[in-house]
Amino acid sequence: MTTLPDPIWPVVVLALIQLVDGALSWKPVPFVAKCFDDVGFPREWWWIFTPIKFAAAAGLIAGIWIPYLGAVTCGALVLYFLLAIAMHIAARDFGRNLLLNAAGMLVICVATGLWSFVL
């Protein structure tokens, strides 16, 4: 395992994805709101996703220079998307939200972690 990402570009791409995802969650666009509704996530807690996503983006970018921070942030995103998948399964939401959004993001996070920090 490396302390700093190598290559850096997958970490930057993942950070950009998190920034966009955070912006889409600010006042959730319809497909994001449907995702939250479909898993039964309480509306009064929807606000939490924007700071989580922005913090993840910041951690990934800062982790380019701060040892282990990028790897820890990437690991936290893997955990986040595992929990998201569990929520979709518990809600019996087996459509696009689970297969494309949550599982797709899990694959991207795992691939980034492996490629930039492990292999």
Side-chain angles (χ1 to χ4, degrees):
M1 179 167 179
T2 63
T3 62
L4 296 172
D6 182 30
I8 292 171
W9 72 264
V11 173
V12 173
V13 169
L14 182 56
L16 290 173
I17 291 169
Q18 294 308 300
L19 278 175
V20 170
D21 199 5
L24 292 174
S25 298
W26 181 266
K27 285 196 176 227
V29 295
F31 79 90
V32 173
K34 181 175 176 4
C35 182
F36 294 162
D37 277 334
D38 288 350
V39 298
F41 200 83
R43 284 184 178 256
E44 62 268 14
W45 284 98
W46 285 11
W47 64 270
I48 196 73
F49 291 103
T50 296
I52 288 171
K53 299 295 183 159
F54 287 170
L60 289 166
I61 295 301
I64 293 171
W65 299 280
I66 301 171
Y68 297 106
L69 182 59
V72 169
T73 304
C74 198
L77 283 169
V78 168
L79 179 60
Y80 173 91
F81 286 107
L82 285 171
L83 291 170
I85 288 169
M87 288 184 72
H88 285 287
I89 291 170
R92 299 189 188 284
D93 179 25
F94 299 113
R96 176 182 181 265
N97 292 333
L98 169 64
L99 299 175
L100 182 62
N101 298 350
M105 282 306 304
L106 176 63
V107 168
I108 291 169
C109 293
V110 168
T112 299
L114 289 174
W115 196 8
S116 292
F117 297 102
V118 178
L119 303 178

